[in-house]
Amino acid sequence: MEPQPSQIQRAAERLAVADAVAVLTGAGISAESGVPTFRGQGGLWENHRPEELATPAAFARDPALVWRWYHWRRGLIADCRPNPAHAALVDLEARAHNFTLITQNVDGLHPLAGSGNCLEVHGSIWAVQCMACGRRYEERSLDLAAPPACKWCGGLLRPGVVWFGESLDPVVLGRAVEAASSCQVMLVVGTSAVVHPAAGLAMTAKEAGAFVVEINLEPTPNSAWVDVSLMGKAGEVLPGLVGGS
Ligand code: NAD
Ligand code: ZN
């Protein structure tokens, strides 16, 4: 379904005069790069649902199983490259005075595309964190099929992501809330808007008076109250919106 030109224009006009812009992205923005979404095809692995593996309890029960899953997911993502939607947000950042990108994605494609002010509120699949000494660092080269050991203390490493049932880093979440509360326009791109608290940031922006624009393939719980809902592929809609067409 193609979004209506008049709706794109309304959103583009608000974007062009906004001093502060915040963007919230989810797995849908990376779908055209070939990264599977949790709720689309390719979400299942060895008959496990993500909600059964991405939890502290699953890791405590069977760290090797959880690492095998992350190893598989890292393999799926490793060769994926940013798409035109990621690139459009880099262009938007270069233009806006005050720009914050808040992503629920752990794939690292926004930083790879060149986004500077990017809050990875759910962490990164390329980061590890030590269960013993607490250190967190980037580690791309490990053979993660077996549970890896900390390079500092030898302790068990966990993936550097936020799992279901865990709290977000309060400093990172605080920055995201601040950006959502102070922006004039918020773009909400490729998120099903069901995983909280990140999903609630769109409502935070709306309540603080922002003009909220949603870009998604299909309606979401946010569609009923956003100012403009653009149905279509992020990689097609976002470049048009940012380019002002
Ligand atoms: P989700 O899988 O729940 O929803 C994806 C949304 O994107 C859907 O609403 C779908 O309609 C939309 N979508 C799919 N293709 C699109 C396209 N080409 N253009 C525009 N929209 C498109 O994802 P979520 O809301 O991000 O929540 C899932 C959680 O899982 C997140 O918290 C995230 O941390 C994690 N996750 C991350 C990745 C990643 O890093 N790429 C992938 C899967 C899951
Ligand atoms: Zn350690």
Side-chain angles (χ1 to χ4, degrees):
M1 204 189 341
E2 292 285 308
Q4 294 195 339
S6 62
Q7 294 291 77
I8 293 201
Q9 202 170 346
R10 261 185 85 210
E13 282 168 7
R14 298 298 289 247
L15 204 52
V17 296
D19 206 40
V21 175
V23 182
L24 174 66
T25 66
I29 197 169
S30 295
E32 291 159 73
S33 293
V35 182
T37 62
F38 273 181
R39 289 168 185 82
Q41 270 191 341
L44 273 186
W45 174 76
E46 292 185 6
N47 288 325
H48 296 280
R49 290 186 301 122
E51 293 84 348
E52 295 163 3
L53 295 165
T55 69
F59 190 70
R61 194 165 50 236
D62 193 347
L65 174 75
V66 173
W67 267 122
R68 281 214 318 283
W69 181 54
Y70 277 94
H71 184 64
W72 173 75
R73 288 183 60 202
R74 280 177 163 224
L76 291 180
I77 296 172
D79 293 330
C80 294
R81 292 292 163 261
N83 67 56
H86 297 101
L89 295 181
V90 177
D91 292 346
L92 186 58
E93 179 167 15
R95 225 172 62 186
H97 286 127
N98 188 328
F99 178 90
T100 307
L101 174 54
I102 305 159
T103 188
Q104 301 169 81
N105 295 343
V106 298
D107 55 37
L109 290 181
H110 286 304
L112 189 61
S115 285
N117 191 22
C118 176
L119 302 172
E120 293 179 306
V121 293
H122 289 167
S124 168
I125 202 165
W126 307 111
V128 291
Q129 189 167 349
C130 180
M131 301 289 286
C133 74
R135 285 188 178 89
R136 183 187 158 85
Y137 53 95
E138 188 175 303
E139 183 53 88
R140 288 176 180 257
S141 61
L142 285 175
D143 178 7
L144 299 173
C150 174
K151 70 176 178 185
W152 301 102
C153 77
L156 176 65
L157 290 174
R158 59 164 281 176
V161 301
V162 179
W163 282 326
F164 293 108
E166 290 187 315
S167 301
L168 276 59
D169 180 323
V171 175
V172 178
L173 180 61
R175 284 194 200 128
V177 171
E178 167 62 26
S181 316
S182 58
C183 65
Q184 280 120 35
V185 174
M186 174 179 264
L187 308 181
V188 183
V189 188
T191 173
S192 57
V194 294
V195 179
H196 283 268
L201 291 167
M203 184 51 101
T204 301
K206 177 73 178 167
E207 284 172 354
F211 188 85
V212 181
V213 180
E214 171 184 64
I215 300 170
N216 202 299
L217 282 181
E218 57 188 29
T220 74
N222 292 340
S223 303
W225 57 263
V226 295
D227 294 285
V228 169
S229 185
L230 302 173
M231 296 290 139
K233 288 185 174 179
E236 292 168 7
V237 177
L238 209 42
L241 178 61
V242 169
S245 63

